[in-house]
């Protein structure tokens, strides 16, 4: 837990946010500024600043984060229409919140851009 991290506060229940998924390691919630009809954030409960900070020992967690994206794509019924999963890592990617999060986006055709 990082005391000034908003996503730690959401995961810890100190910042009221509806969770669309939670288990012992992972929580997911709706993005406050959605860029698509479905825009969810999937985060580890533990404070990991970014993708770059994941270690070999976190391989299971990394896999479970991705599988949670699949699970939520089914729950939110975008599994057949298609969806995008991405994470911004560091300054040039525009990472605004320094707590690892996967964006899950779908529900409309998404721009074909890699940058
Ligand atoms: P980043 O740019 O770091 O990849 O994305 C951060 C995301 O977190 C943004 O899409 C932003 O809208 C979202 N966000 C920032 N603060 C909050 C918050 O307090 N609650 C929720 N639900 N989303 C947030
Ligand atoms: Zn955090």
């Amino acid at each position: 837990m990082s005391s000034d991290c908003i996503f730690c506060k959401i995961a810890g229940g100190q910042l009221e946010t509806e969770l669309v998924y939670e288990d012992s390691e992972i929580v997911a919630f709706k993005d406050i500024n959605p860029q698509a009809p479905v825009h969810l954030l999937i985060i580890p409960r533990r404070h990991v600043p970014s993708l770059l900070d994941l270690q070999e020992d976190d391989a299971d967690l990394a896999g479970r984060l991705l599988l949670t994206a699949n699970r939520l794509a089914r729950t939110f019924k975008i599994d057949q229409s298609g969806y995008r999963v991405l994470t911004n890592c560091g300054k040039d990617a525009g990472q605004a919140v320094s707590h690892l999060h996967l964006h899950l986006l779908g529900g409309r055709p998404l721009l074909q851009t890699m940058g």
Side-chain angles (χ1 to χ4, degrees):
M1 167 88 187
S2 173
S3 59
D4 57 354
C5 171
I6 51 173
F7 286 1
C8 279
K9 288 185 177 139
I10 289 173
Q14 290 107 309
L15 198 62
E16 196 170 332
T17 300
E18 183 198 349
L19 301 181
V20 297
Y21 176 80
E22 66 176 315
D23 65 25
S24 60
E25 284 187 304
I26 292 170
V27 304
F29 48 91
K30 293 180 179 170
D31 196 292
I32 203 167
N33 182 22
Q35 304 299 307
V38 177
H39 186 175
L40 306 178
L41 299 174
I42 302 162
I43 72 169
R45 284 188 186 274
R46 173 162 62 92
H47 184 79
V48 177
S50 77
L51 181 63
L52 186 63
D53 299 290
L54 282 182
Q55 308 296 325
E56 287 291 329
D57 282 354
D58 298 318
D60 277 0
L61 174 64
R64 273 197 273 277
L65 286 165
L66 272 182
L67 291 173
T68 302
N70 275 356
R71 173 199 284 258
L72 286 166
R74 292 189 195 95
T75 304
F76 283 79
K77 304 196 184 319
I78 54 170
D79 53 317
Q80 296 304 311
S81 50
Y83 53 100
R84 182 171 291 158
V85 178
L86 65 88
T87 187
N88 294 315
C89 184
K91 181 167 61 73
D92 281 358
Q95 183 179 359
V97 178
S98 295
H99 181 132
L100 174 62
H101 49 284
L102 299 185
H103 295 259
L104 171 64
L105 295 143
R108 66 165 170 80
L110 300 165
L111 291 177
Q112 295 299 313
T113 176
M114 294 299 281

